Amino acid sequence: MEKLIITSAICGAEVLKEHNPAVPYTIEECVREARSAYNAGASIIHLHVRWDDGTPTQDKERFRLVIEAIRKECPDVIIQPSTGGAVGMTDDERLQPTELYPEMATLDCGTCNFGGDDVFVNTENTIKYFGDRMIERGIKPELEVFDKSMIEMALRLYKKGHIVKPMHFDFVMGVNGGIGGDIRDFVFMRGSIPNDSTYTVAGVGRYEFPLATLAIIDGGHVRVGFEDNVYLSKGVLAKSNGELVEKVVCIANELGRQIATPSEARQILGLKPIK
Ligand code: KMH
Ligand code: ZN
């Protein structure tokens, strides 16, 4: 079985210090959280950035500063900026980090409710536009799918040339408005992608570790982090993103699955090696 790629979603756009005081806002805090995840075994950092007061932003210069600062501490880690940003941002605002030519970036494959009254809007034209920019800029998309219908969308846009193979999906499961996080939901999503694609699963809240365990057994990959869940176990806040990664490493060790280094993750995902 392929080695396990662990992604750490260290920050997100919605989670706040009120939920867990270790949620990073400043550049220094982002570096601290990325370093803890990397040292624990994460090979990909899924990155949102904030202004120092916690407001989410897709500002290109803020991304540049955070990426440069993380690079100094985690030289070979794969940095995967979000193009989802936060609910309500415009397409061009969201696309800014792709102007920095990262190796990967997220590509959200459909519209869904996003808790309460929020709607995360990704029309077909938006997805085509984002897919085309990523092809032009040589960026591998992580196809974020919050429901089965979004897999259908990705496959349709692949046929139309807006996404290229090999495809890498991220099943984000358990968002209020998306698919749930039970075993049958996982089996449904996993069985709906082409055989020549790879996937990561990001379980939200209490679904994080059960879904991680299923993906470890199945040969998939795993995302954990404050964006999705702030608890190490029921009622116990994680002290860092690194603690969440450590828990995945422990489960993988118990189940006999080895952890991929960033260079091995690049190989698995078909990214160019770094010099
Ligand atoms: N913040 C969510 C509305 C992504 O990173 O691409 C969208 C999101 C997805 O987090
Ligand atoms: Zn995200």
Side-chain angles (χ1 to χ4, degrees), residues 12 46 48 82 144 223 227:
H46 168 64
H48 289 252
S82 168
E144 288 216 3
R223 175 174 114 176
E227 177 165 348

Side-chain angles (χ1 to χ4, degrees), residues 9 11-14 46-48 80-85 106 108 144 146 170 223 227-228:
C11 171
E14 291 79 22
H46 168 64
L47 190 65
H48 289 252
Q80 178 200 85
S82 168
T83 68
T106 54
D108 296 279
E144 288 216 3
F146 295 70
D170 181 17
R223 175 174 114 176
E227 177 165 348
D228 305 322

Side-chain angles (χ1 to χ4, degrees), residues 15 17 28 41 45 73 76 95 111 114 170 185 195 205 218 244 254 272:
V15 67
K17 285 191 191 292
E28 295 70 30
I45 303 296
E73 299 282 326
D76 59 343
L95 269 175
T111 295
F114 210 78
D170 181 17
D185 302 320
N195 288 335
D218 182 53
L244 299 170
E254 287 298 322
K272 287 194 197 96

Side-chain angles (χ1 to χ4, degrees), residues 17-82:
K17 285 191 191 292
E18 284 81 345
H19 303 120
N20 183 327
V23 170
Y25 296 165
T26 68
I27 297 174
E28 295 70 30
E29 289 168 346
C30 285
V31 172
R32 181 198 71 214
E33 287 307 307
R35 191 197 307 119
S36 77
Y38 171 76
N39 287 343
S43 48
I44 302 180
I45 303 296
H46 168 64
L47 190 65
H48 289 252
V49 299
R50 314 279 189 98
W51 298 118
D52 286 353
D53 67 359
T55 310
T57 176
Q58 290 293 100
D59 182 78
K60 181 176 152 185
E61 292 313 314
R62 183 69 167 184
F63 263 101
R64 190 198 304 279
L65 290 175
V66 176
I67 290 171
E68 280 172 8
I70 292 176
R71 273 264 159 271
K72 280 192 191 138
E73 299 282 326
C74 318
D76 59 343
V77 80
I78 299 165
I79 300 180
Q80 178 200 85
S82 168

